[in-house]
Amino acid sequence: MVLHLSPIIALDELDKAMPRHNYGDPLAPLHTLLEPESARSFADGCFPLPIDASHVIWIATANDVDRLAAPLRSRFLIFDISNPTSEERLGITHSIASRLGDEYWGLEFDSEVLLLVSEYPPRVQRQLLTAALARAARYGESTVGVEHLREVVERGNRINEQSRRGLGFASAGRQSV
């Protein structure tokens, strides 16, 4: 009986890896690594010893699988995952808020805050909830309310408006030294 480890390697947003003329195609090694026969004796240019990568379990995500080359797509089983429903998004928001509340002194979130934030992607949800939570903690309150979220959004809007105006470099003329 031969025992082997089967590590799982996750490649996130594979469709965003773009070839560069100086460095080549960053996805090219996957053509070899995803085929069990050729993966048995894979040798990378940076690691000159051959390795047996035939037992690796590869998981990749992509926002647009059509941006991946057909030969690479053919090496994966593709599952199309639809966007979450409103109810599922709210469940994700509750999960994020629960973890944040536990991490930060047991503060709780008003249900209206969770409903408003649930329309955003999870990364933005976490940012908004964390910032609103910090506002509530700053004021010594135990519940994060809509007013805390409103402060965060208004501050973000002011910052975005200022960044659109630039930092003044564009209008500065070229000066000689």
Side-chain angles (χ1 to χ4, degrees):
M1 174 185 223
V2 176
L3 296 176
H4 59 83
L5 296 176
S6 292
I8 297 174
I9 297 180
L11 306 168
D12 193 25
E13 297 186 346
L14 203 58
D15 55 328
K16 293 183 180 175
M18 302 305 281
R20 301 218 178 181
H21 65 76
N22 293 346
Y23 304 107
D25 183 1
L27 301 179
L30 288 177
H31 291 92
T32 302
L33 288 166
L34 293 172
E35 293 292 339
E37 289 302 316
S38 57
R40 277 190 175 76
S41 60
F42 178 77
D44 184 69
C46 296
F47 188 75
L49 300 173
I51 59 170
D52 181 354
S54 61
H55 298 292
V56 173
I57 298 168
W58 297 91
I59 298 174
T61 67
N63 293 322
D64 183 0
V65 293
D66 294 330
R67 291 184 58 193
L68 297 173
L72 189 57
R73 278 197 319 262
S74 72
R75 288 168 167 80
F76 284 101
L77 289 175
I78 297 176
F79 299 91
D80 185 33
I81 300 173
S82 60
N83 288 326
T85 64
S86 295
E87 187 176 296
E88 291 167 335
R89 284 194 310 267
L90 189 56
I92 292 167
T93 307
H94 275 280
S95 176
I96 293 169
S98 175
R99 276 187 252 128
L100 284 173
D102 290 346
E103 289 175 27
Y104 296 95
W105 319 289
L107 290 176
E108 295 181 8
F109 292 88
D110 182 270
S111 60
E112 191 174 348
V113 168
L114 300 180
L115 188 60
L116 290 169
V117 171
S118 70
E119 296 303 314
Y120 293 94
R123 182 180 305 134
V124 176
Q125 287 183 24
R126 183 171 178 78
Q127 292 168 347
L128 289 171
L129 292 174
T130 300
L133 191 145
R135 292 273 185 203
R138 176 180 176 200
Y139 300 132
E141 299 178 17
S142 60
T143 303
V144 179
V146 174
E147 64 278 8
H148 304 116
L149 180 62
R150 189 174 298 120
E151 285 180 33
V152 168
V153 171
E154 286 172 2
R155 183 172 187 274
N157 288 340
R158 283 194 309 273
I159 290 170
N160 287 338
E161 182 60 35
Q162 288 171 353
S163 68
R164 276 190 218 107
R165 284 187 250 140
L167 299 175
F169 296 116
S171 62
R174 195 168 203 188
Q175 297 180 355
S176 348
V177 180

